[in-house]
């Protein structure tokens, strides 16, 4: 026994046994602490796993719905693309240009007619027209009073 010094008497043996007992108590406390921490870590890992599974179960239907909506949008986009490919855009644009030209011609014709009407109204002698209306009033007024009696 070269590792341990020789024990000379019982008091040294008892002292050594007390030291071993204290060391065992300390190691036991450390092992209990390690066991509690391991259990706590296990519980935390279980909670984390449960939270991840819960999130997946909650988000999976939404994700599936989103993918389905995206598929519908892609299908609609493809359908619109096919319709645009088959559409006669040049003919439609030409038809629109012709319509706009027709509208321009109508506006020009209307402005010419309006201009002619304004010239005729300016050419009218308003004073002579007012005098004629007054003369007519003077003639009709006695006749109106004759018939109203």
């Amino acid at each position: 026994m070269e590792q341990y010094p020789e024990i000379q008497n019982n008091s040294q043996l008892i002292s050594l046994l007390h030291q071993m007992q204290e060391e065992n108590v300390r190691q036991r406390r450390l092992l209990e602490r390690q066991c509690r921490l391991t259990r706590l870590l296990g519980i935390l890992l279980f909670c984390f796993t449960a939270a991840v599974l819960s999130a997946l179960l909650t988000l999976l239907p939404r994700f599936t719905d989103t993918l389905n909506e995206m598929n519908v949008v892609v299908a609609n986009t493809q359908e619109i693309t096919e319709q645009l490919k088959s559409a006669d855009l040049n003919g439609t644009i030409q038809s629109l240009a012709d319509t706009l030209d027709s509208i321009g011609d109508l506006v020009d014709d209307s402005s010419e007619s309006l201009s002619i009407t304004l010239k005729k109204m300016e050419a009218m002698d308003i004073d002579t027209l007012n005098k004629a209306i007054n003369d007519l009033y003077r003639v009709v007024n006695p006749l109106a009073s004759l018939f109203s009696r």
Side-chain angles (χ1 to χ4, degrees):
M1 287 197 191
E2 294 179 15
Q3 284 183 347
Y4 300 108
E6 264 186 52
I7 299 175
Q8 308 255 335
N9 59 22
N10 282 342
S11 65
Q12 283 182 341
L13 180 63
I14 291 174
S15 172
L16 187 60
L17 286 175
H18 277 302
Q19 287 177 356
M20 287 175 60
Q21 185 180 11
E22 288 174 6
E23 184 64 26
N24 282 342
V25 169
R26 190 179 70 80
Q27 285 181 359
R28 184 172 179 216
R29 286 183 189 145
L30 290 174
L31 285 174
E32 287 174 355
R33 185 174 175 205
Q34 184 180 10
C35 184
R36 281 193 307 268
L37 290 175
T38 304
R39 284 182 187 151
L40 181 63
L41 184 61
I43 291 170
L44 288 175
L45 183 61
F46 175 77
C47 291
F48 177 74
T49 304
V52 168
L53 286 175
S54 174
L56 283 176
L57 291 175
T58 303
L59 295 176
L60 190 61
R62 292 180 185 169
F63 182 70
T64 305
D65 291 343
T66 302
L67 284 178
N68 289 337
E69 289 176 12
M70 285 176 55
N71 286 336
V72 169
V73 168
V74 167
N76 288 343
T77 304
Q78 288 174 345
E79 182 179 332
I80 290 170
T81 303
E82 291 300 320
Q83 289 175 357
L84 286 175
K85 283 181 183 176
S86 64
D88 181 24
L89 294 179
N90 289 332
T92 304
I93 291 172
Q94 185 59 43
S95 174
L96 184 60
D98 293 343
T99 303
L100 289 175
D101 288 341
S102 297
I103 290 172
D105 292 342
L106 286 174
V107 169
D108 290 341
D109 291 344
S110 296
S111 68
E112 286 178 25
S113 297
L114 188 59
S115 175
I116 292 170
T117 304
L118 285 175
K119 286 179 184 175
K120 286 183 179 180
M121 285 179 71
E122 287 174 358
M124 274 203 266
D125 187 9
I126 300 293
D127 292 331
T128 307
L129 181 63
N130 282 336
K131 186 178 176 190
I133 291 172
N134 282 333
D135 290 343
L136 181 64
Y137 175 73
R138 275 189 246 129
V139 170
V140 172
N141 193 23
L143 289 174
S145 37
L146 179 71
F147 286 114
S148 62
R149 286 188 179 175

